[in-house]
Amino acid sequence: MAHLRSRRRLALTLPLGLALTASLGFLPGAASAAPADSPSATAGSATADAGALAYVVNTRTDDRTLVSVKKAIAEAGGTVVVAYDKIGVIVVHSSAADFGKRIRAAKGVTSAGATRTSPLKAAGTTDEGAAQVLSKGEVKSLAAQAASGDEPLEADQWDLRAIGADKAAKINPGSRDVTVGVIDTGVDDTHPDLAPNFSASQSANCVGGKADTTPGAWRPYNPAEDYHGTHVAGEIAAARNGIGVAGVAPGVKVAGIKVSDPNDGLFYPENVVCAFVFAADHGVEVTNNSYYVDPWLYNCMDDPDQKAIVDAVNRAQLYAQKKGTVNLASAGNSGDDLDSDAIVDDSSPDDATPVSRTIDPHECFDVPTQLPGVVTVSATGVTNAKSYYSSYGKGVIDIAAPGGDKYVSPSDTPSRNGRILSTMPGGQYGFLQGTSMASPHAAGVVALLKSTHPKATPAQLQALLKAQADNPGCPDKPYDWDGDGKVDATCAGGSRVNGFYGFGIVDALDAVKK
């Protein structure tokens, strides 16, 4: 089933992003190295022998260094699975106990480390709580209450009305020249609400670190459990076709890039590296990332393995930005103040036995959302208040969007359900809540902005996203969502930027009007 994850993200301003880049030793050329070539495959497969670990080895991008490092990998007992020469990231499998130590000592290696703490076997998301799937009878009953001109289940989509997406669709539903890539558990493109807008040519299965574009490879392994990506895709771009629900940007295309491992459902670094590079090389303008890269919730820079993970994924997402892609990610469901000095992480590593540790989120990074230029999205409920589970923090959150809150029910919907209704595999529909659901709403608005301003760069689109947002400001009363008399969160900041909403709640109508 979909894993419930806490997403933690420190939104970086440009100066801080540059500082992070410098401190990690990222090579400017690595992310912008031009030609968009295919990954160079060598002997070896995406499946290793029992006892092997997967590694990312990061290098300079010149040919001489790459040849030298690949030779060193073999000499240290490693097998190259795939090499992304353009960004200097090589995915390796090795059973050698000292492989990491040996390859880090090799000339030309910037960083290298294991992407797992347990051997490979012969995949996390940010939805909060179990899905509520509608029965056929419920779908029929709700559809009978649909207003003229609406989608059959749109009356239950309070989230669309909250950000003006229903009105925006009448002005500009989005351009077919814009594609949003859903990096997730896979997308069921046969769903009648997704099929009209699905882009198979921009979809792939990146599990193992190498893209598989075989038709249907992007679909969920187990539709009954891996429903997360399909739900996200519908929130973004479910078609206005007289069937089911509508997406925020029902006229754009959506692609599925599967990264969740079939054995454990985890999102390993090499899979995510593959996804960002694939999206960039296949013209995807926006990516949605409602997960954190496993096995570490936070990757601390004083650990060589975790440092290598940050380095590898950062190179890939920066490459995507350079190619014109805006990357958005969910902020997390831990309800933490992400601008704090210390956070207890008792969930890592999640591929083995977790060990409780206290980390400084300014030095230990959540990937990919704490990387430079990635947009962080917090969640709101029906009343526009911060959702009870959503993480927050001044200078951390970039933007807010509807993610649902089961404790706050709408009064104007047939089901009175405060969560988010969207597509599920097998032609079904269901309610979910979480920052996983907030991020795709923002991604849909970015797609509308790109449709309205087709020549805008990722940086310009981010500026437009923040400019069109509506900020309700910090609440007048203490935030006590469960009513027990204790303050559950403190909103710092003013009416322009604050810790609950960042620059504000996205506004789809303004995105197509301004």
Side-chain angles (χ1 to χ4, degrees), residues 179-419:
T179 301
V180 181
V182 176
I183 300 177
D184 214 297
T185 61
V187 174
D188 179 6
D189 59 302
T190 68
H191 194 291
D193 249 339
L194 297 178
N197 290 339
F198 192 79
S199 176
S201 65
Q202 295 169 294
S203 299
N205 177 359
C206 269
V207 175
K210 183 179 180 181
D212 175 7
T213 57
T214 304
W218 51 77
R219 292 172 189 153
Y221 290 115
N222 184 343
E225 297 181 354
D226 301 330
Y227 49 75
H228 190 269
T230 302
H231 195 278
V232 166
E235 292 176 58
I236 296 168
R240 284 190 171 273
N241 56 355
I243 300 173
V245 297
V248 173
V252 306
K253 293 186 294 184
V254 65
I257 307 177
K258 185 166 63 180
V259 293
S260 60
D261 188 274
N263 295 305
D264 53 23
L266 301 184
F267 288 44
Y268 290 114
E270 60 270 32
N271 305 353
V272 176
V273 168
C274 168
F276 279 124
V277 174
F278 181 86
D281 288 348
H282 289 77
V284 173
E285 286 83 6
V286 185
T287 69
N288 185 83
N289 303 270
S290 293
Y291 61 89
Y292 71 81
V293 169
D294 301 285
W296 304 94
L297 176 55
Y298 292 96
N299 295 269
C300 297
M301 302 308 291
D302 59 355
D303 180 282
D305 294 322
Q306 296 168 42
K307 177 181 179 180
I309 290 170
V310 177
D311 190 357
V313 179
N314 189 63
R315 289 172 182 235
Q317 72 89 16
L318 284 177
Y319 174 76
Q321 289 186 50
K322 291 285 186 180
K323 296 275 284 186
T325 307
V326 179
N327 302 315
L328 297 94
S330 52
N333 301 335
S334 62
D336 287 339
D337 182 349
L338 302 182
D339 193 31
S340 62
D341 296 327
I343 292 175
V344 175
D345 172 21
D346 56 7
S347 66
S348 303
D350 58 9
D351 65 339
T353 302
V355 178
S356 182
R357 59 180 183 157
T358 299
I359 62 91
D360 180 348
H362 303 90
E363 298 179 0
C364 299
F365 305 113
D366 173 24
V367 177
T369 57
Q370 199 170 339
L371 299 177
V374 176
V375 179
T376 306
V377 188
S378 65
T380 58
V382 172
T383 64
N384 286 341
K386 183 187 84 70
S387 300
Y388 72 91
Y389 52 79
S390 183
S391 294
Y392 62 99
K394 183 181 179 182
V396 178
I397 302 302
D398 290 313
I399 211 80
D405 190 325
K406 65 182 180 181
Y407 295 112
V408 184
S409 300
S411 60
D412 62 345
T413 67
S415 70
R416 304 295 192 270
N417 196 310
R419 293 173 289 181

Side-chain angles (χ1 to χ4, degrees), residues 445-458:
V445 173
V446 174
L448 292 177
L449 286 167
K450 183 65 174 178
S451 300
T452 307
H453 308 277
K455 295 184 178 180
T457 66

